[in-house]
Amino acid sequence: MMTLRVTRIALLFTLLFGLFNNSFAQKSPQKPTFTNPLLAAGADPWVIFKDGFYYYTNTTGRNLTLWRTKDFTNLNEAEKKIVWTPPASGPNSKDIWAPELHSLNGKWYLYYTATDVAKPGDQNRYVLVLENESANPLVGNWTDKGKINTNYTGLDGSVFEHKGKHYFLYSGYVGPQSNLFIAEMVNPWTISTKQVEIARPTLPWEKYDGREICEGPQFLKGKRGQLFIIYSASACWDDNYSLGMLTAAESSNLLDPASWTKSGQPVFAQSLAHNVFGPGHNCFTKSADGREDWIVYHAKTEANKACKDRTPRAQRFNWKADGSPDFGVPASVETALQKPSATP
């Protein structure tokens, strides 16, 4: 009789425990997720976080458009505005590419690549910049500050700060190659005439279809005293377009080419298993609470040997024991990814 009573009590306890757990699970919020791509179209994505908002932009080819949101993985519902359209003629009248938004000295600056509609092509392609004094870059006036005084024609200008100095990166056309250059900045629209080449395409995966290309340089600070420049390698119409990496010690002279060491293999490349091709032209951002690191990039879901059908994508990345980034493998568009921590 005692054994039967104990058994009944045990069964009752198990039932109540199960009901409690089920109720708790139903009340526990599920972590929100998203899937790539972030938009139906858009190459060369750029994200910057400031004052509680993410600002996003990408190449449209015909204007400069900004998105403003608290969740960069939900751009379809973000505030969106065309903030600048090119003039009918002049050095910035055609092929508006690779915009980057930066906050410098209390003002906003939009760096972008363009050429002249009357003389289009690489021989007249430059990085140019606009200035806006408004706190919100989607409002106010954008003032044309003209071309960046690069020694070479080129594209993909970017800015970063290190030890109180601002540096400018770009990809310059040197013969058949697109090489990476660095210079100190005099102000947000002027760079030093000392512009140092820190990388050129020398490896097979940096060359394709008669072109040798290192472009889209992006700065990333490591976890163990290193500095990294992540760049895009090969032609944009190469389905094997991928990311390479330069490494320097944070105490080194960044204007000395010998300070930079190139990785022998891509650090982020296509995934046949995930149907992701040509991942590249990236940027980096963090979750709103600063706890997570994210890479934002473009890629294709079809190996089409073309610079078309590129879409913006994002995924979290981690760090290796030596302090270098571990970008992993590009996620499939069918994979649900957890949103950045602290996303509203």
Side-chain angles (χ1 to χ4, degrees):
M1 190 69 176
M2 181 63 70
T3 302
L4 181 59
R5 185 176 298 171
V6 170
T7 301
R8 288 176 176 174
I9 292 173
L11 288 173
L12 180 60
F13 177 80
T14 301
L15 177 62
L16 291 173
F17 185 77
L19 290 172
F20 173 80
N21 273 348
N22 186 53
S23 176
F24 180 80
Q26 290 177 354
K27 292 180 180 179
S28 296
Q30 297 295 314
K31 292 184 178 180
T33 62
F34 73 99
T35 56
N36 285 313
L38 305 179
L39 293 171
D44 314 327
W46 172 261
V47 177
I48 181 173
F49 182 72
K50 182 174 171 58
D51 298 334
F53 286 93
Y54 289 96
Y55 297 93
Y56 172 87
T57 186
N58 61 225
T59 292
T60 69
R62 59 190 180 277
N63 59 44
L64 295 176
T65 301
L66 295 179
W67 286 252
R68 185 175 187 253
T69 179
K70 289 183 177 292
D71 178 6
F72 68 85
T73 66
N74 189 19
L75 293 174
N76 284 314
E77 297 186 13
E79 180 185 3
K80 176 183 175 182
K81 184 180 180 181
I82 296 172
V83 297
W84 181 84
T85 54
S89 62
N92 56 347
S93 53
K94 183 179 174 62
D95 294 342
I96 312 303
W97 296 348
E100 289 195 9
L101 179 68
H102 292 267
S103 177
L104 305 170
N105 304 330
K107 299 178 183 180
W108 289 104
Y109 292 89
L110 257 172
Y111 297 86
Y112 64 99
T113 301
T115 188
D116 192 329
V117 68
K119 299 175 290 183
D122 293 348
Q123 69 275 13
N124 286 302
R125 199 178 311 282
Y126 290 93
V127 178
L128 301 98
V129 63
L130 307 170
E131 179 187 72
N132 189 338
E133 298 185 4
S134 300
N136 178 358
L138 273 68
V139 300
N141 298 315
W142 286 95
T143 302
D144 187 352
K145 305 298 287 188
K147 296 179 185 177
I148 302 296
N149 57 311
T150 54
N151 290 342
Y152 298 92
T153 57
L155 71 171
D156 297 349
S158 189
V159 175
F160 71 93
E161 186 273 334
H162 179 59
K163 292 189 174 180
K165 295 181 179 180
H166 285 97
Y167 294 87
F168 185 79
L169 297 168
Y170 77 102
S171 177
Y173 298 130
V174 184
Q177 296 185 325
S178 296
N179 302 349
L180 300 183
F181 291 85
I182 189 172
E184 285 191 35
M185 302 188 76
V186 177
N187 56 46
W189 57 91
T190 310
I191 62 176
S192 169
T193 55
K194 182 180 180 181
Q195 300 167 26
V196 180
E197 180 186 299
I198 55 174
R200 63 175 56 189
T202 57
L203 301 170
W205 48 274
E206 298 173 317
K207 306 175 183 182
Y208 180 75
D209 197 24
R211 295 299 301 267
E212 304 175 2
I213 299 175
C214 294
E215 63 182 15
Q218 293 294 320
F219 174 78
L220 179 65
K221 188 172 182 179
K223 296 294 186 180
R224 292 186 177 273
Q226 316 103 311
L227 304 178
F228 302 102
I229 292 175
I230 309 300
Y231 65 94
S232 301
S234 192
C236 68
W237 57 93
D238 181 6
D239 298 326
N240 296 301
Y241 190 72
S242 58
L243 296 182
M245 183 170 73
L246 305 177
T247 306
E250 63 180 4
S251 59
S252 64
N253 176 9
L254 304 190
L255 300 181
D256 182 357
S259 297
W260 297 96
T261 302
K262 182 192 290 188
S263 60
Q265 297 294 329
V267 293
F268 195 60
Q270 70 168 356
S271 171
L272 296 177
H274 293 170
N275 290 321
V276 179
F277 302 93
H281 204 114
N282 72 291
C283 70
F284 300 106
T285 191
K286 286 182 174 289
S287 57
D289 58 10
R291 295 170 53 194
E292 298 175 354
D293 294 288
W294 285 75
I295 181 172
V296 183
Y297 60 98
H298 73 228
K300 306 180 292 185
T301 54
E302 180 184 354
N304 56 18
K305 297 183 179 180
C307 287
K308 65 178 184 178
D309 300 332
R310 295 173 293 172
T311 55
R313 307 169 185 219
Q315 62 192 67
R316 184 182 177 184
F317 70 92
N318 296 306
W319 299 88
K320 298 178 181 178
D322 65 359
S324 62
D326 182 359
F327 299 122
V329 177
S332 165
V333 295
E334 299 175 353
T335 301
L337 305 172
Q338 287 189 5
K339 285 180 176 284
S341 58
T343 298

